Amino acid sequence: MTEEEQDFSKLSLEERCQHKNWKARVSAYDELTKTFQRIDDDKEWGKYGGWVRKFPTDSNAAAQEKALEVTLLYLANAGLPQAGRIVAEIMSGVVAKCITASKAKSKELAMDIALMCVEVEKFEAVQEELMKGMEHKNPKVLAGCINIFTEVLRSFGPKVINLKTILKKIPILIEDRDKTVRDETKKLMVELYRWLGPAFKPQLSAVKPLVVQEVEAEVEKITEKPHQSRYLRSQQAREERVAGEAGEEAEEEEASEEASPDIDPFDLLDPVDILSKLPKDFYEKCEAKKWQERKEAMEALDALVVANPKLETGDYSDLVRMLKKIISKDTNVVVVALAGKSLCGLANGLKKKFSPYASSCISTILEKFKEKKASVVTAMRDAIDACFVATTLESIQEDTIQALQNKNPAVKLETNTFLARAFAKTPFKTMSDKKLMKPYFTAILANLNEPDANVREAAAEAFGVAMKHLGEKALAPLIADMEAIKLQKVKEYMEKAVITAPKEKGVKPVKAPSSADMKVKANVVRVPGKTDIRKPGGAVVKKPTASANSYPEEEFVEKPPAVSKPVVAAKSAPKVGGTVSRQTIATTTTKKSVSAAKVVEEPIGSNLPVNNLKAQRISDEMRLRILRWNFTTPREEFIDLLKELMIAAGIGPTLMGNMFHSNFKLHLKAIDTLQDEFNMNPDGTKCNLDLILKWATLRFFDTNPSVLIRILDYMINVFQVLSAEDYNMADVEAGAFIPYLVVKLGESKENVRVNVHEILKRVSTIYSSQKVFTYLIEGLRSKNARQRTDCLDEMSSMIGVYAMPVMGNTPQLALKEIAKQISDRDTNVRNAALNAVVQAYYLVGDKVFKMIGQLADKDQSLLDERIKRAGKSCPKPAQSSATLTKPSASVHGTSRINSSGTVHPSEGSPSSPPQAAIVSPIRQYQSQSASSGNILQPQNLNTTLGSSNDDFNNRVLQATFSEQCAVSRTVITKMPVNSRKPYETPMIPTQANQSIDLVVVQLGDPVLRTAIESCVKLEKMLTDSLTSPIMCGRVDTMLAMISNQYLRQQPTLQNRDEEHLNELNKYFSSSVQLLTALFKHELLPKKASRDGLKDIIYHLLMLIIDDNLEQLTDSVTIIRLVNVMVVRIIENTEPNAISCALIRLLNDALNENGGENYRLLELVMKCQWKLLKQHNVWVQNEDYHWDTRAILLEYHYFMKNHPFSSFCNRDGTPLKTIKTIVHALVMQAGVETIQSIMNDIPELKNSEGGVYISKIIQRELLKKTSIAGVTSSASTL
């Protein structure tokens, strides 16, 4: 049979796809075309992705055409995940083989495939491959890539493209030797010009003027405005909604979107770091006595900000502080005007990133408006307008109102005119906030009665702009008694005013409902190749349009709140195929719809309404109708999506405004509101938990620690209650939250990590612990060593708690991933991995070696040594009936191994029966079942010990369950008391163990009274020789909780409230006494880790230097005790841990505010010198092992952050201190040991710090050589 007659039907589809004969491949492509048209299940697409990704590179022209048709069909119909995975390879093949194809249809298909790849949300991969193609030597490939790029821009617009990349390429492409390439580049420039308008012209500075003229001439010929003709999958549902909506409302929205500029020219500029370009003597000249030198400094800064309109983010605090000082205190008007101009340039160059400095700058500028010189006033006007972009009316309210009440008419005049400009730029939602704006309007109206005519004129202008913004009816109560002449003047300015504030989504003027508004609109859903129109049946949900504080026609007068009213909610959420956030939520007053709905009592103005929309949101996300909450860093489309989902869910507008504000203080306010809502309306939190969790993940990316700590505290409270109520967490909720929570295990702050661990434990009680374990396995892929360490620690804990079933049906795969970490470079990661494997060893014995597979000899020896050191026999495996999703006993019920390798048993010997399932101690007191009937009161616990006379256990229970702080509704079950040997760590009943853990956790309770009681109880336990040893495994937790509490409470010392100060006085006194008892103990201080010591010492030193502490009654005693305690910490803790902690603390002190906190720095160095003296004591202990490697690594990181050159312009004492410490370490460890360690760490050996150590070693070797020479000479004589 000839090749032409060969039958390929007997071959499998995969074989034909890879066959050498092109006809075989064509037959496969034809069959795939039919198959792809029949597939309904999204999961089926995945098995074809591996074949399709290679289709564009087919070598036969006829087969390639068929292959491209199949590829396009696959991309158009497969789900986003399946299609997205292969886009990069498909585009690589398109660029390499299809652009230069011989057949015209193949080129057309290549273009269609590229556009479809963009449509499936993979525009970054498309652009990357096209940019690679623009580096190709073949001009045909180059021209083809430019052509595709132009078409992508024409179809999708500039928002999906990284314009900076292509703009940098244009000057090179336009000078290409090939005419086709130049022509295609001109077409691209024309398309860019159409979209960007004048913003594009500054980017053509490197292009020849003649070419620019040609491009401008082509643009003038085009009369049609650019518009997006194709949409991303995430945009398609929105477009169908807009297309399906009829009437004036939709037209207005569309018109406003078209009118708003898509691209800001500022975004196209590259940021420049001007801080490094400042003259070296800049700050000296700024404070020079001669005004000419100060003028030179300001001119140099002004030249930098003018030449670089976009500035790189950095620490501008010193520069801004200097400019404010000059503006407020300099007597030379020329210098002040230049400083104002420079400040304006800084604010314009940073935009929103100037927000940390904006409010304080505005306060300074307002005061400077008293200056009469016109040049200064003009500069101040420009500066305050630029600063306002980075702040809000709420942030500057206090300073602005004070300025309106200033005695100087010039200050009042300029403040009013500034507010007129600010009101015009402020969004309607903010302007309609009664509580915010009422003080402004009161002060402005007072200025209308000023004797100075100019002040009255300016006040009329400010109020007129506000009236234009809000409408005359909204401000009617405020102008009711206004004189006719003044009212006429206000209305004149109202007519002249031009509102430039951007129109906000979802905020529309309130209109009387029309008949069209009363009908239920259809939801049109667009699916590739299909159009599906569905109408929601049954009842409809009434969606609140605005809060009580944001109605545009609302009068600015307070009204008493109503109690409640019935809200109509649908029995079941309508099944909508499009984006949930874009679904039409209509209202109706017909009897039919009311009868079809059920009535739910809900407070009026509730921020978190009770509804059943969450199920629909979860369904839509699972079916990829909306974007999956999955990103490395949050992009704008995810934030917009969350806003739209919240609007659809009826979240309160005021709460939403705070949640998505740029000011972190409003984020804190939003968290407080969420907490209040949760306390009063827990059902609302449950109904909107998926949205709250997604918003919480956005806050995880913030840099402000107070927001992070507060949101974690809030989540702990929420999950605690949900756990008690047996809430079941959905996969979508968990998938949107847990991965980002796991990332926070890599945080440097111990108190943050403690809270994250606590949340993970609580989540495991309402969600599958197997799936939580899987997320932790994924966390091991992080480059952050601390995250890997804490993931392993948490997994170790979960293995001890839930036994082997927590690792799923294939525990060997999980254990292999864990065992891989034994070879990690980081010591803590290695130890944590070893501990996790040892936990598994306790459960299954030697089987664990088969599960983890072959290890390197070094890793195997480490594991064997760790098991040997643990010194425990393997207990019986956990029962298979262990509950993985709803545990019911304490998380501290099994032995725990910390990251340093030390085993801390907390319940009993390992031979004791393993607990089937356990949870956190707080959970125990809220949800433990009392079905057994063994319910006892705390004061009767002694009777539960049976016939045992163990004095230790009795005293522990008495100390733990004292009547003063017993937990309400505590449920205790009977259990036997384990006997203990004299040399073993004491063991206590599980319930008492849980209670101790609860008391430790209460050290960080936001309610100070609870924290004080916890301090008193723990101090009693620490001072008792029988009960104190059980705290060995809890030292770090205690330190973390106290550090967290200090971080929360120390700023409140500024509060002048006498009752609060008395409570703070009691707390600081009791916490210091607790720490004194802890570090006076013989054994416990040695259990403190490096990070725990660093944090607690830092907070104690900050307490010493806090001047506000003097307000406390016992401030003198507290400071004296803290001084003594810091010395005791250095003397009694583990030498390696405290040495590393103090080096790291010195590094942090130098980083804090650029090392300007001199009092803190001085105290840290005093600690270092005390440590040096203590070294002499430790050296005498020959049995002690120095971890020289760890200390040298801390020194290396210190020198990496603070090289010798960084101390040229500041005090060099910290450098001298660290040098002295290293010298002492070399002397103690010996030259040979140091050389060996440096050889093992190349990065240390080749660093600046390593060079200094080498010099020390050389000096010591020379000394030894010279001494040896002298001895030899003496013996010869």
Side-chain angles (χ1 to χ4, degrees):
M1 184 181 294
T2 63
E3 185 177 329
E4 288 76 7
E5 298 172 350
Q6 187 174 353
D7 183 15
F8 301 107
S9 60
K10 294 181 180 180
L11 297 177
S12 68
L13 186 59
E14 184 176 3
E15 288 176 331
R16 281 183 282 159
C17 286
Q18 300 172 358
H19 204 281
K20 294 182 179 179
N21 191 313
W22 68 272
K23 291 187 177 180
R25 298 197 299 275
V26 167
S27 69
Y29 299 151
D30 290 337
E31 184 174 337
L32 282 174
T33 300
K34 297 175 183 177
T35 302
F36 287 171
Q37 292 173 345
R38 294 194 304 266
I39 294 178
D40 292 326
D41 188 357
D42 286 348
K43 294 181 180 179
E44 288 189 41
W45 292 102
K47 62 184 180 182
Y48 298 105
W51 307 348
V52 175
R53 69 180 68 203
K54 300 176 183 178
F55 286 178
T57 58
D58 198 305
S59 56
N60 183 274
Q64 185 186 49
E65 185 177 315
K66 286 285 186 181
L68 292 176
E69 290 177 353
V70 176
T71 303
L72 181 60
L73 187 63
Y74 181 91
L75 291 172
N77 291 278
L80 282 180
Q82 294 84 4
R85 289 191 197 105
I86 62 174
V87 163
E89 291 184 56
I90 286 177
M91 281 304 303
S92 177
V94 166
V95 171
K97 298 290 185 180
C98 303
I99 289 177
T100 57
S102 57
K103 289 195 171 187
K105 188 175 180 182
S106 295
K107 293 181 181 179
E108 292 176 5
L109 287 168
M111 175 70 76
D112 292 338
I113 288 172
L115 294 173
M116 186 58 69
C117 287
V118 175
E119 185 176 307
V120 297
E121 313 280 349
K122 288 296 178 179
F123 34 86
E124 296 98 339
V126 174
Q127 182 165 348
E128 183 179 351
E129 294 301 328
L130 291 177
M131 296 306 294
K132 289 179 183 177
M134 291 183 194
E135 302 289 340
H136 207 282
K137 295 181 179 179
N138 188 338
K140 291 185 178 180
V141 175
L142 189 55
C145 288
I146 299 172
N147 183 30
I148 292 176
F149 206 105
T150 304
E151 190 58 37
V152 168
L153 178 62
R154 182 180 295 114
S155 300
F156 292 94
K159 287 187 176 181
V160 302
I161 300 171
N162 183 355
L163 291 177
K164 289 184 180 180
T165 308
I166 192 63
L167 290 175
K168 291 178 182 178
K169 200 78 179 170
I170 282 179
I172 302 173
L173 297 174
I174 200 65
E175 298 293 332
D176 196 90
R177 294 179 299 176
D178 189 84
K179 185 178 183 299
T180 307
V181 173
R182 295 197 303 272
D183 291 342
E184 290 295 338
T185 305
K186 286 180 183 177
K187 292 178 183 177
L188 175 59
M189 292 170 67
V190 169
E191 195 61 35
L192 284 167
Y193 210 125
R194 289 180 65 224
W195 283 100
L196 303 182
F200 180 54
K201 197 163 185 179
Q203 310 298 322
L204 302 178
S205 57
V207 179
K208 294 179 180 178
L210 184 61
V211 176
V212 176
Q213 291 176 6
E214 292 178 8
V215 171
E216 290 177 339
E218 290 295 325
V219 172
E220 289 176 1
K221 295 177 183 177
I222 303 173
T223 57
E224 182 185 0
K225 290 185 177 180
H227 64 278
Q228 188 174 349
S229 57
R230 289 190 66 159
Y231 300 92
L232 305 179
R233 292 276 175 89
S234 60
Q235 297 173 329
Q236 287 174 4
R238 170 187 173 279
E239 285 304 310
E240 292 294 344
R241 180 188 68 83
V242 173
E245 286 184 355
E248 182 182 347
E249 189 176 295
E251 291 174 6
E252 286 180 0
E253 183 178 345
E254 233 177 319
S256 65
E257 289 179 1
E258 287 182 6
S260 60
D262 289 337
I263 301 297
D264 185 353
F266 184 81
D267 296 334
L268 303 177
L269 300 174
D270 290 322
V272 178
D273 178 16
I274 65 166
L275 293 174
S276 59
K277 297 182 180 182
L278 287 173
K280 293 182 179 179
D281 58 349
F282 174 77
Y283 291 102
E284 287 78 4
K285 281 190 174 183
C286 287
E287 295 182 340
K289 293 183 179 179
K290 295 183 178 180
W291 71 271
Q292 290 90 346
E293 294 184 19
R294 301 198 301 274
K295 178 173 174 285
E296 287 178 12
M298 290 298 100
E299 286 175 340
L301 176 60
D302 183 53
L304 284 173
V305 295
V306 169
N308 304 290
K310 186 174 183 178
L311 303 181
E312 186 71 60
T313 306
D315 185 4
Y316 290 85
S317 54
D318 291 340
L319 184 56
V320 172
R321 194 180 301 114
M322 182 59 68
L323 291 174
K324 284 164 54 183
K325 182 178 179 181
I326 292 173
I327 290 172
S328 60
K329 296 183 178 180
D330 203 301
T331 56
N332 188 283
V333 293
V334 177
V335 177
V336 172
L338 282 170
K341 187 180 177 186
S342 299
L343 185 62
C344 176
L346 282 180
N348 284 329
L350 291 170
K351 298 288 186 187
K352 290 290 185 182
K353 295 175 183 176
F354 191 72
S355 58
Y357 323 106
S359 297
S360 61
C361 289
I362 287 178
S363 176
T364 303
I365 295 169
L366 288 171
E367 184 66 27
K368 198 62 180 179
F369 276 137
K370 63 187 177 185
E371 179 63 50
K372 296 179 180 179
K373 196 72 173 178
S375 59
V376 174
V377 174
T378 302
M380 294 303 112
R381 285 176 190 157
D382 294 339
I384 200 170
D385 287 347
C387 292
F388 180 70
V389 174
T391 187
T392 61
L393 287 175
E394 183 175 8
S395 301
I396 63 171
Q397 185 188 60
E398 184 178 351
D399 294 324
T400 312
I401 292 175
Q402 284 181 1
L404 289 173
Q405 297 167 353
N406 196 290
K407 295 179 181 179
N408 192 316
V411 174
K412 293 181 181 179
L413 167 66
E414 293 298 336
T415 305
N416 276 294
T417 55
F418 160 64
L419 284 176
R421 300 191 298 272
F423 289 166
K425 301 173 187 174
T426 302
F428 172 82
K429 188 175 179 180
T430 304
M431 289 292 296
S432 59
D433 188 336
K434 294 183 297 183
K435 291 181 180 179
L436 171 64
M437 297 307 299
K438 191 172 182 179
Y440 276 110
F441 295 154
T442 303
I444 293 171
L445 290 174
N447 281 185
L448 277 173
N449 299 318
E450 282 290 312
D452 191 295
N454 293 329
V455 175
R456 296 198 303 271
E457 195 80 11
E461 181 183 3
F463 201 79
V465 174
M467 190 179 289
K468 178 69 171 282
H469 218 326
L470 297 170
E472 186 175 344
K473 185 178 178 182
L475 299 179
L478 299 178
I479 61 175
D481 300 328
M482 188 180 291
E483 296 177 16
I485 299 176
K486 295 175 182 177
L487 182 59
Q488 183 180 355
K489 182 64 67 174
V490 168
K491 289 185 176 181
E492 286 177 9
Y493 280 109
M494 181 183 73
E495 293 173 1
K496 295 177 184 177
V498 177
I499 305 301
T500 58
K503 187 174 181 180
E504 295 174 295
K505 292 181 180 179
V507 179
K508 299 173 184 176
V510 174
K511 302 177 183 178
S514 62
S515 58
D517 294 328
M518 308 303 290
K519 296 178 181 178
V520 179
K521 300 175 185 178
N523 290 281
V524 184
V525 183
R526 181 171 182 257
V527 180
K530 299 178 182 180
T531 301
D532 184 19
I533 302 179
R534 305 177 186 175
K535 296 183 179 180
V540 292
V541 180
K542 185 174 182 178
K543 176 184 171 184
T545 56
S547 74
N549 286 339
S550 60
Y551 280 173
E553 303 298 333
E554 183 85 24
E555 296 180 354
F556 278 82
V557 289
E558 297 297 332
K559 295 182 180 179
V563 181
S564 64
K565 70 173 182 180
V567 176
V568 181
K571 284 184 178 179
S572 60
K575 204 168 187 180
V576 183
T579 305
V580 173
S581 61
R582 292 294 186 180
Q583 65 182 323
T584 304
I585 302 179
T587 60
T588 178
T589 55
T590 61
K591 295 180 180 179
K592 181 178 179 180
S593 62
V594 173
S595 63
K598 66 177 181 179
V599 177
V600 180
E601 287 292 329
E602 184 180 29
I604 294 177
S606 173
N607 287 299
L608 298 176
V610 178
N611 53 45
N612 51 6
L613 296 177
K614 183 168 78 169
Q616 185 62 46
R617 292 194 297 267
I618 290 175
S619 173
D620 283 353
E621 187 162 347
M622 291 177 65
R623 298 180 182 182
L624 298 178
R625 290 173 176 168
I626 59 175
L627 280 176
R628 277 276 174 89
W629 197 257
N630 183 18
F631 47 75
T632 305
T633 53
R635 300 194 303 273
E636 185 178 352
E637 58 261 37
F638 287 98
I639 298 172
D640 289 342
L641 171 64
L642 182 57
K643 288 180 182 178
E644 293 165 358
L645 290 171
M646 286 185 170
I647 292 171
I651 305 296
T654 303
L655 174 59
M656 275 192 62
N658 292 339
M659 293 174 85
F660 294 100
H661 203 279
S662 58
N663 189 341
F664 78 93
K665 293 181 181 178
L666 294 182
H667 294 163
L668 295 174
K669 189 175 180 181
I671 296 170
D672 291 340
T673 304
L674 288 172
Q675 183 63 63
D676 293 340
E677 284 284 334
F678 182 58
N679 295 335
M680 295 184 293
N681 181 26
D683 289 338
T685 300
K686 292 179 189 176
C687 291
N688 298 281
L689 184 62
D690 58 325
L691 304 177
I692 295 172
L693 293 177
K694 288 177 179 179
W695 181 76
T697 61
L698 297 180
R699 303 284 67 81
F700 289 170
F701 290 88
D702 289 347
T703 56
N704 189 287
S706 57
V707 174
L708 178 58
I709 291 171
R710 191 80 68 84
I711 192 68
L712 291 175
D713 286 341
Y714 166 71
M715 298 314 304
I716 288 175
N717 294 335
V718 170
F719 286 122
Q720 175 182 341
V721 175
L722 294 180
S723 175
E725 297 182 359
D726 291 332
Y727 177 86
N728 289 316
M729 194 176 193
D731 286 336
V732 169
E733 291 176 313
F737 179 69
I738 298 178
Y740 307 98
L741 183 68
V742 170
V743 172
K744 303 314 288 183
L745 287 172
E747 275 287 323
S748 59
K749 292 186 178 295
E750 177 72 18
N751 51 352
V752 172
R753 299 202 301 277
V754 168
N755 283 350
V756 172
H757 281 292
E758 183 64 25
I759 292 173
L760 285 169
K761 286 176 175 57
R762 294 178 190 276
V763 167
S764 298
T765 67
I766 61 174
Y767 186 62
S768 167
S769 55
Q770 290 182 349
K771 294 179 180 179
V772 174
F773 196 90
T774 303
Y775 284 118
L776 291 169
I777 288 284
E778 291 294 320
L780 296 179
R781 299 179 181 179
S782 171
K783 295 180 181 179
N784 186 326
R786 187 180 285 109
Q787 179 181 332
R788 298 198 301 275
T789 301
D790 278 54
C791 283
L792 289 164
D793 284 342
E794 188 64 30
M795 285 190 282
S796 176
S797 172
M798 293 183 73
I799 294 171
V801 170
Y802 302 102
M804 298 301 286
V806 77
M807 290 181 273
N809 296 327
T810 54
Q812 60 272 18
L813 297 179
L815 283 172
K816 284 180 181 179
E817 287 296 322
I818 295 172
K820 288 179 184 178
Q821 308 301 317
I822 298 176
S823 59
D824 197 275
R825 293 184 298 177
D826 189 274
T827 305
N828 292 330
V829 176
R830 293 199 300 271
N831 283 327
L834 289 167
N835 296 340
V837 177
V838 169
Q839 282 286 6
Y841 176 81
Y842 290 159
L843 297 170
V844 298
D846 291 338
K847 289 182 181 179
V848 77
F849 297 113
K850 293 182 180 179
M851 291 182 175
I852 63 178
Q854 188 70 30
L855 293 178
D857 293 341
K858 182 180 178 182
D859 297 343
Q860 187 65 52
S861 63
L862 287 172
L863 180 58
D864 293 340
E865 178 63 23
R866 180 57 55 85
I867 292 173
K868 184 178 178 182
R869 279 172 54 190
K872 294 194 174 187
S873 58
C874 177
K876 295 178 182 179
Q879 299 176 5
S880 60
S881 61
T883 304
L884 292 179
T885 57
K886 305 278 184 185
S888 59
S890 167
V891 78
H892 299 283
T894 57
S895 59
R896 294 292 306 275
I897 310 177
N898 65 15
S899 297
S900 62
T902 306
V903 181
H904 297 299
S906 60
E907 176 188 353
S909 64
S911 59
S912 61
Q915 299 295 320
I918 38 189
V919 296
S920 66
I922 296 178
R923 158 82 165 155
Q924 170 74 18
Y925 300 111
Q926 295 179 330
S927 62
Q928 185 177 10
S929 171
S931 59
S932 63
N934 296 324
I935 304 176
L936 303 173
Q937 298 299 323
Q939 56 266 34
N940 298 328
L941 277 175
N942 289 339
T943 62
T944 69
L945 299 177
S947 59
S948 173
N949 294 319
D950 192 321
D951 180 61
F952 169 77
N953 286 321
N954 289 334
R955 293 176 68 174
V956 167
L957 291 170
Q958 289 289 355
T960 307
F961 292 96
S962 61
E963 292 183 4
Q964 289 77 13
C965 55
V967 180
S968 61
R969 297 179 289 112
T970 307
V971 182
I972 305 295
T973 55
K974 290 183 179 179
M975 64 170 295
V977 178
N978 297 319
S979 60
R980 59 186 176 92
K981 299 178 181 178
Y983 56 83
E984 289 182 331
T985 302
M987 296 172 291
I988 61 176
T990 303
Q991 283 73 20
N993 205 351
Q994 297 163 3
S995 304
I996 294 169
D997 290 327
L998 176 61
V999 176
V1000 172
V1001 170
Q1002 286 175 339
L1003 286 171
D1005 198 300
V1007 180
L1008 279 180
R1009 192 172 301 170
T1010 305
I1012 292 168
E1013 291 175 353
S1014 178
C1015 289
V1016 174
K1017 293 177 63 178
L1018 290 172
E1019 183 190 356
K1020 290 180 181 178
M1021 295 187 66
L1022 291 175
T1023 53
D1024 190 319
S1025 59
L1026 285 176
T1027 58
S1028 59
I1030 65 172
M1031 302 302 295
C1032 285
R1034 299 173 169 90
V1035 173
D1036 265 355
T1037 306
M1038 289 173 61
L1039 295 180
M1041 290 297 169
I1042 294 173
S1043 297
N1044 190 15
Q1045 193 71 275
Y1046 277 22
L1047 181 66
R1048 183 189 295 118
Q1049 299 300 340
Q1050 194 172 342
T1052 66
L1053 283 168
Q1054 300 175 8
N1055 191 336
R1056 304 295 178 182
D1057 181 57
E1058 185 176 351
E1059 184 180 352
H1060 179 68
L1061 290 176
N1062 289 336
E1063 202 168 32
L1064 280 178
N1065 185 71
K1066 292 178 184 178
Y1067 171 71
F1068 283 118
S1069 299
S1070 59
S1071 63
V1072 169
Q1073 289 171 6
L1074 171 62
L1075 290 171
T1076 302
L1078 172 62
F1079 289 105
K1080 192 166 62 174
H1081 196 275
E1082 182 181 359
L1083 174 65
L1084 295 180
K1086 302 291 190 295
K1087 303 299 181 181
S1089 68
R1090 176 200 64 194
D1091 290 338
L1093 291 171
K1094 178 182 75 72
D1095 286 347
I1096 196 64
I1097 293 175
Y1098 169 78
H1099 288 292
L1100 290 172
L1101 297 182
M1102 290 299 292
L1103 199 63
I1104 292 174
I1105 65 176
D1106 194 338
D1107 295 331
N1108 292 313
L1109 192 69
E1110 296 176 0
Q1111 298 181 74
L1112 302 185
T1113 309
D1114 300 327
S1115 60
V1116 176
T1117 305
I1118 292 172
I1119 292 176
R1120 178 173 55 80
L1121 287 174
V1122 169
N1123 274 290
V1124 173
M1125 184 167 40
V1126 171
V1127 174
R1128 189 168 286 158
I1129 291 174
I1130 296 172
E1131 292 176 346
N1132 295 349
T1133 50
E1134 202 273 330
N1136 290 318
I1138 190 64
S1139 299
C1140 293
L1142 287 179
I1143 294 175
R1144 187 161 288 200
L1145 183 58
L1146 181 60
N1147 176 72
D1148 292 351
L1150 287 169
N1151 286 335
E1152 187 166 323
N1153 294 329
E1156 284 196 359
N1157 196 338
Y1158 298 113
R1159 295 175 66 188
L1160 174 64
L1161 198 56
E1162 182 183 3
L1163 289 176
V1164 173
M1165 286 190 289
K1166 285 183 178 179
C1167 293
Q1168 296 282 7
W1169 290 107
K1170 175 61 183 174
L1171 179 69
L1172 281 171
K1173 293 180 181 178
Q1174 190 63 23
H1175 274 213
N1176 299 327
V1177 178
W1178 292 329
V1179 169
Q1180 296 173 9
N1181 185 359
E1182 296 180 356
D1183 296 332
Y1184 188 77
H1185 171 68
W1186 282 94
D1187 192 351
T1188 312
R1189 179 189 179 94
I1191 301 175
L1192 283 180
L1193 278 174
E1194 291 294 339
Y1195 161 72
H1196 168 62
Y1197 296 141
F1198 177 89
M1199 293 307 303
K1200 199 172 181 181
N1201 292 330
H1202 306 285
F1204 294 150
S1205 58
S1206 67
F1207 291 94
C1208 294
N1209 298 322
R1210 61 179 176 181
D1211 185 15
T1213 309
L1215 181 61
K1216 294 176 184 176
T1217 304
I1218 205 74
K1219 283 183 174 181
T1220 307
I1221 293 171
V1222 173
H1223 188 274
L1225 183 66
V1226 174
M1227 296 298 99
Q1228 292 164 10
V1231 171
E1232 294 77 10
T1233 303
I1234 299 295
Q1235 284 181 323
S1236 174
I1237 293 173
M1238 290 184 66
N1239 289 333
D1240 292 342
I1241 313 175
E1243 58 175 343
L1244 171 61
K1245 186 176 181 181
N1246 301 325
S1247 66
E1248 192 174 20
V1251 172
Y1252 175 71
I1253 296 176
S1254 299
K1255 290 180 180 178
I1256 298 175
I1257 293 173
Q1258 289 173 6
R1259 284 202 300 268
E1260 292 304 312
L1261 291 175
L1262 286 173
K1263 285 181 183 179
K1264 289 182 179 181
T1265 304
S1266 60
I1267 292 171
V1270 171
T1271 306
S1272 176
S1273 301
S1275 62
T1276 303
L1277 291 173

